[in-house]
Amino acid sequence: MRKILVPIKRVIDYAQKIRVDSSKGPQGVQLKNVKMSMNPFCEIAVEEAIQLKEKNKGAEVVAISVGPKQCTETIRTALAMGADRGIHIETKPDVRGDYVDLQPWAIASLLKGVVEKEDAVDLVLLGKQSIDSDCGQTGPLLAGLLNAPQATFAANIERGDDGSFTVERETDTGTETIKLNACGKPAVITCDLRLNTPRYPTMPNIMKAKKKPVNTISLEDMVKELGLDLDEVLTPQNEVVEVYEPPPRKEGETVGSIDELLGKLKEKGLVA
Amino acid sequence: MFSLTRRLSFGLRYTNVPSRRNESNSKKLRGPAAQDVSYFRSVLTRPSHGVLDGTASHDVKDEIDKKYNTDWTRHYKGSSDLVLRPQTTWEVSSILKYCNENHIGVTTQGGNTGLCGGATPISNEVVLSMEYMNRIYKLDEYSGVMTCDAGCILQSLHDYAEEKGFLFPLDIGSKGTCQIGGNVSTNAGGHHFFRFGGMHGTVVGMEVVLADGRVLRLNIDNSEDGNNERTHQFQQSSASLRKDNTGYDLKQLFIGGEGTLGIVTKVAVACPALPTSKNVALLVCNSYNDVLQILKTSKEELGEILSAIELIDSNTMNFIQKYGAGNGDHLMTELLSSETTSKQPLFILVETQGCNQESDFSKMDSFLTSLYESSTIENGFLAQDSKQIEEIWGLREACNPSVAQAGYVHKFDVSIGIESYMEVAEEVSDALKKSNLPDLTVCCWGHVADGNAHINIISGKFDGDVNEAEAIENIVYSSVMKRKGSISAEHGIGQSKRKYIGQTKDEAVLELMSQVKNLFDPNFILNPGKYLP
């Protein structure tokens, strides 16, 4: 195996409560001083890439992220887990990665360019979706743009000696097994929860990670290098009209007895 | 209970002489009778839920025995036949006034998670459960003061405060079950004692009902109290202020008073702003000297964002692996396969909480780098997201429940100088090996930065031999006492440590404590058989 490319996304930590900030407009969300982490499905993708690297000596794991300068931290985490090098496509600080500005089409277009530039990429592992935009589109779009074989919602991945990948895939009705044959294009696989448990960055690896190279390039420069159109990349395909919180749950009423409960239910016309 | 008189080398002596006046006073108490039950029914707004009469049916008696007469450690069993569950302060006041006039003993109970049997009746006292007094009144967004009922479960206070951008300053393993009234009454310490201080500082106000039924409002706002028609009977109250230096600070007596001076019905607690950036790392090191270095370095490198440092020893970690890890299995495997020079490595949890993710992370990074490069730590696991943070804390919170499943636990909670923290566990371990007590494992974990060690000695047998218990207590307490430590750092006295208080406090102190008890509860109805020797 030669190269495994793992696109990762920096998102609001899954345990954090998202607060709408209407002072910033209809799409405003409280982003200041909010804990950010690597998207949980991307963590799983990184873990899988490293496990494959451990089974296939000589494979190189490249982590890539599109986002503001703090993304370098996210890439460092991937390096501390065992990735070999990182690519950071840096966006201006106010560009939102949670669907409002950057959307899967733009990301997939950038990734296509990177895959072709890197050359020798055998596998692209992505999280099945990000927890902020919940699209699940980047992987499939990338596969389409590359004309590459794809399998989504992977719960198990096995690599054959002939370079093929056999993927067990989660569906609503059960597990489906798909074989992606080696065909000269990288396999594109998106990762689901059951695939693995991401490891912790440990001290020896955290220290090694400090010396691993991270190539930072601005979005504008990358777009130029790949021969894409900046406007096309930065103009979202879909417009987010409004972001709002779900209506608060109404407080329940406590009643003192079964009779009272029955009375209330009758009152509300829920019981004859 | 112990009928031996044995003098140990520095003055600890067991006797069976009931000391002080407290025992004779509590002998005048009686349990509740049928007419008492009728009275209680008449003062409770929901008697069907508020009165559990064990004499009425086997089912009710069973419920009382299981839920109220037995403590969490299952060491203590009371024989109460009556549980009262009031909903308002006025109900508590009526109950106590009646019990005081009729010399009926009352044991107050919150979440029943205490580790010293303090909330378990010693015989047939009335159990007064605070579980239905669980309203949260408000949280002042400027001062951060939260006002709530004493029966609120600690976790619910955390959740409420978090919604509003605040952090409840007390955090302990039992937070899913324990109630704030109990926490206040036992002056609970917890994981964040190091950062936020104890209840004596964070509790700014409280409402307490005295033995004779009088209600004291100490720097607490009562405007949301639903019993406005009764309030004209009660004393003046004030809004919960952060500072008020007018008069003796009476509330301090009730904090840690374990329900022996009055029943806490409401509390006002000052909550700090919710830190938005949290980092947790689990470190592996070879010896306690390394731990001391970690403590020093943490103060230098992490400074004001350091919020917790907890120690777990190998024996404990092995029990957690066997009985407790659950979701932390993955972490446990990686942890126990760390290469260490020592066969008994020590594990240290370090947590930081601050308000700037970048600068906090950079501090944590330079802290870990400094420890690793100086070989102070063999390995470190840095949580990269909330899930891993919860997992690491999960290991620390699994200490107590895991050892409880491993056998019979002789539980100790001691305070020692930080330098000597592990010495007690090591000395006890050696002494136990030399004695003829078989098959005992000494586990040590706890709030190392506070000098607070939870020493748990696990016996393979489940029968709790009294002689063995006494011998072990001797060994542990003598080791603590010779280092001038405390035999109860944060768990309190309850039933289990009463006899030691008599031997470890000055005569003048004991005399004054006794007088205070007499002043607040002359008929000794509140939590009889507990706390004072």
Side-chain angles (χ1 to χ4, degrees):
Chain A
M1 250 189 114
R2 299 166 303 165
K3 291 186 200 171
I4 307 174
L5 187 70
V6 189
I8 58 180
K9 190 176 181 187
R10 177 176 178 267
V11 298
I12 295 181
D13 187 282
Y14 89 98
Q16 194 88 357
K17 184 166 157 61
I18 313 280
R19 276 172 220 285
V20 164
D21 186 354
S22 38
S23 69
K24 295 203 197 122
Q27 310 137 339
V29 161
Q30 171 81 282
L31 289 170
K32 191 165 178 238
N33 272 340
V34 155
K35 184 173 169 67
M36 310 288 283
S37 306
M38 194 190 301
N39 183 41
F41 297 107
C42 298
E43 271 179 46
I44 294 172
V46 173
E47 173 64 28
E48 196 64 18
I50 294 162
Q51 285 187 19
L52 280 166
K53 170 184 148 166
E54 285 165 351
K55 290 188 199 131
N56 296 277
K57 299 268 178 261
E60 189 191 20
V61 175
V62 185
I64 176 168
S65 192
V66 182
K69 75 167 171 24
Q70 295 91 339
C71 271
T72 322
E73 258 170 56
T74 318
I75 295 175
R76 287 272 162 225
T77 307
L79 297 176
M81 284 170 73
D84 298 296
R85 67 181 159 90
I87 301 172
H88 177 195
I89 301 178
E90 191 175 331
T91 58
K92 296 216 168 61
D94 55 346
V95 170
R96 280 173 65 172
D98 59 359
Y99 205 70
V100 172
D101 295 323
L102 288 175
Q103 294 182 356
W105 178 257
I107 304 293
S109 311
L110 286 166
L111 290 175
K112 169 188 185 270
V114 171
V115 166
E116 286 167 348
K117 201 167 86 101
E118 282 285 327
D119 201 29
V121 176
D122 289 322
L123 172 64
V124 184
L125 274 173
L126 306 94
K128 74 168 177 181
Q129 68 197 63
S130 67
I131 59 172
D132 50 10
S133 54
D134 278 321
C135 293
Q137 297 166 3
T138 307
L141 283 172
L142 176 62
L145 288 170
L146 288 171
N147 205 23
Q150 65 170 291
T152 52
F153 316 144
N156 194 51
I157 302 175
E158 298 285 346
R159 184 177 180 270
D161 290 329
D162 58 351
S164 65
F165 290 97
T166 305
V167 178
E168 274 175 38
R169 208 184 151 239
E170 310 271 37
T171 72
D172 285 338
T173 48
T175 313
E176 183 182 26
T177 310
I178 295 186
K179 186 171 179 196
L180 305 175
N181 290 317
C183 60
K185 298 276 184 177
V188 176
I189 303 178
T190 75
C191 305
D192 206 336
L193 266 183
R194 269 203 307 136
L195 184 57
N196 61 45
T197 308
R199 64 193 64 189
Y200 282 74
T202 57
M203 271 328 284
N205 291 326
I206 292 173
M207 298 302 291
K208 282 187 210 148
K210 290 181 204 269
K211 304 201 180 84
K212 293 178 184 173
V214 176
N215 182 23
T216 306
I217 176 168
S218 75
L219 177 66
E220 290 75 19
D221 286 344
M222 184 56 120
V223 161
K224 213 194 283 182
E225 210 178 288
L226 297 176
L228 298 168
D229 185 290
L230 186 65
D231 263 329
E232 221 184 86
V233 169
L234 278 180
T235 312
Q237 300 268 303
N238 298 301
E239 185 197 335
V240 174
V241 173
E242 193 192 344
V243 176
Y244 56 91
E245 283 180 23
R249 243 185 93 177
K250 280 205 284 239
E251 221 180 84
E253 281 178 64
T254 7
V255 292
S257 68
I258 306 270
D259 288 328
E260 218 186 306
L261 175 63
L262 208 52
K264 294 258 178 206
L265 290 175
K266 283 187 179 155
E267 230 177 76
K268 295 183 192 293
L270 296 166
V271 152
Chain B
M1 209 199 293
F2 298 114
S3 55
L4 321 155
T5 312
R6 201 198 301 143
R7 190 184 289 276
L8 298 167
S9 55
F10 37 76
L12 256 191
R13 203 170 12 130
Y14 297 158
T15 71
N16 67 341
V17 176
S19 53
R20 321 268 147 216
R21 316 132 241 307
N22 307 344
E23 291 287 335
S24 51
N25 266 327
S26 50
K27 284 195 168 65
K28 289 197 214 129
L29 298 175
R30 64 171 177 85
Q35 74 267 24
D36 305 316
V37 179
S38 306
Y39 175 78
F40 296 133
R41 276 195 208 281
S42 73
V43 300
L44 289 170
T45 42
R46 286 205 305 166
S48 52
H49 288 80
V51 177
L52 285 181
D53 182 0
T55 61
S57 84
H58 275 304
D59 284 341
V60 177
K61 181 69 174 120
D62 268 338
E63 194 189 335
I64 296 180
D65 281 341
K66 257 199 296 223
K67 191 173 169 197
Y68 301 95
N69 272 329
T70 314
D71 79 318
W72 191 86
T73 64
R74 299 192 306 269
H75 288 195
Y76 298 101
K77 285 194 161 57
S79 43
S80 173
D81 280 325
L82 183 64
V83 177
L84 299 178
R85 304 191 286 200
Q87 279 183 273
T88 66
T89 304
W90 186 82
E91 287 168 44
V92 176
S93 167
S94 308
I95 292 168
L96 282 187
K97 183 162 190 289
Y98 182 88
C99 288
N100 190 39
E101 284 162 3
N102 290 279
H103 296 267
I104 300 172
V106 176
T107 297
T108 316
Q109 196 174 102
N112 198 12
T113 54
L115 300 170
C116 298
T120 316
I122 51 168
S123 92
N124 63 344
E125 304 92 275
V126 170
V127 172
L128 198 142
S129 166
M130 301 298 289
E131 66 196 275
Y132 286 161
M133 292 181 64
N134 58 6
R135 282 177 60 187
I136 300 175
Y137 295 102
K138 67 173 179 189
L139 197 158
D140 183 313
E141 59 168 325
Y142 293 106
S143 64
V145 174
M146 183 193 279
T147 310
C148 63
D149 278 341
C152 289
I153 292 177
L154 185 55
Q155 182 66 59
S156 65
L157 299 178
H158 273 264
D159 296 340
Y160 186 93
E162 200 180 299
E163 273 287 308
K164 306 234 180 273
F166 287 89
L167 175 68
F168 198 81
L170 171 71
D171 189 1
I172 53 179
S174 51
K175 64 185 163 190
T177 316
C178 66
Q179 296 168 15
I180 188 63
N183 296 142
V184 168
S185 301
T186 54
N187 189 25
H191 305 307
H192 291 137
F193 182 91
F194 175 79
R195 169 73 172 258
F196 301 120
M199 306 243 81
H200 282 292
T202 54
V203 173
V204 301
M206 66 165 66
E207 179 189 80
V208 191
V209 181
L210 301 177
D212 59 9
R214 280 182 297 170
V215 177
L216 284 186
R217 288 209 172 84
L218 305 166
N219 192 32
I220 195 162
D221 191 344
N222 76 326
S223 53
E224 269 91 22
D225 194 337
N227 291 302
N228 284 322
E229 75 269 21
R230 315 262 187 214
T231 56
H232 68 274
Q233 295 176 24
F234 302 142
Q235 284 114 28
Q236 270 291 66
S237 73
S238 59
S240 293
L241 307 167
R242 289 294 278 114
K243 293 164 96 165
D244 178 18
N245 272 352
T246 56
Y248 296 129
D249 195 5
L250 294 175
K251 66 177 185 307
Q252 299 298 348
L253 285 171
F254 302 100
I255 299 172
E258 300 188 29
T260 57
L261 299 177
I263 298 183
V264 176
T265 46
K266 287 194 182 61
V267 295
V269 177
C271 299
L274 184 70
T276 46
S277 151
K278 195 191 272 199
N279 286 297
V280 174
L282 191 55
L283 311 176
V284 185
C285 55
N286 284 312
S287 74
Y288 191 66
N289 276 333
D290 295 325
V291 176
L292 287 173
Q293 189 55 43
I294 294 174
L295 288 174
K296 246 199 188 147
T297 313
S298 68
K299 293 204 171 93
E300 287 160 9
E301 301 269 357
L302 299 173
E304 72 283 0
I305 61 168
L306 178 61
S307 64
I309 293 198
E310 301 282 313
L311 178 147
I312 303 175
D313 78 351
S314 293
N315 286 340
T316 313
M317 201 54 99
N318 287 331
F319 281 126
I320 299 175
Q321 181 192 34
K322 224 170 157 186
Y323 300 101
N327 289 336
D329 285 340
H330 197 80
L331 170 60
M332 184 61 83
T333 319
E334 287 186 59
L335 201 57
L336 293 173
S337 60
S338 289
E339 280 175 35
T340 53
T341 322
S342 158
K343 289 207 173 52
Q344 302 255 299
L346 294 169
F347 304 92
I348 303 286
L349 185 161
V350 178
E351 182 192 70
T352 66
Q353 291 193 71
C355 52
N356 186 315
Q357 194 171 353
E358 274 168 68
S359 76
D360 287 2
F361 184 80
S362 135
K363 282 187 168 135
M364 184 60 124
D365 186 58
S366 80
F367 167 67
L368 294 175
T369 307
S370 156
L371 291 176
Y372 191 68
E373 285 179 337
S374 60
S375 300
T376 309
I377 59 173
E378 288 275 6
N379 201 351
F381 294 75
L382 179 60
Q384 54 165 311
D385 61 11
S386 296
K387 179 157 170 276
Q388 291 184 340
I389 288 179
E390 272 167 36
E391 212 169 58
I392 293 180
W393 270 112
L395 288 185
R396 167 62 182 89
E397 293 186 344
C399 291
N400 205 359
S402 300
V403 302
Q405 290 184 62
Y408 186 85
V409 184
H410 300 268
K411 223 173 220 346
F412 298 95
D413 158 51
V414 301
S415 251
I416 325 155
I418 294 172
E419 228 176 0
S420 347
Y421 189 89
M422 282 308 282
E423 278 174 29
V424 171
E426 285 158 8
E427 197 173 270
V428 165
S429 198
D430 287 338
L432 288 174
K433 284 201 187 85
K434 292 202 185 90
S435 71
N436 57 357
L437 296 162
D439 193 27
L440 293 168
T441 314
V442 178
C443 292
C444 181
W445 72 79
H447 318 293
V448 58
D450 304 336
N452 182 188
H454 293 307
I455 298 178
N456 284 246
I457 297 167
I458 292 75
S459 164
K461 350 184 228 162
F462 277 78
D463 58 13
D465 178 0
V466 165
N467 288 324
E468 182 178 296
E470 198 186 297
I472 293 172
E473 269 178 21
N474 257 338
I475 292 173
V476 175
Y477 287 154
S478 49
S479 189
V480 170
M481 293 314 299
K482 81 180 193 212
R483 291 173 174 81
K484 298 196 172 34
S486 162
I487 55 154
S488 183
E490 61 178 6
H491 289 174
I493 303 168
Q495 294 184 45
S496 65
K497 291 168 196 168
R498 262 181 96 197
K499 60 180 183 276
Y500 299 105
I501 303 310
Q503 334 295 11
T504 60
K505 290 264 183 259
D506 283 348
E507 191 60 42
V509 172
L510 291 172
E511 182 67 42
L512 280 167
M513 292 205 297
S514 184
Q515 287 173 344
V516 168
K517 172 68 173 175
N518 247 314
L519 182 65
F520 280 89
D521 181 21
N523 292 332
F524 283 72
I525 63 162
L526 295 175
N527 233 357
K530 315 258 177 55
Y531 202 76
L532 286 173

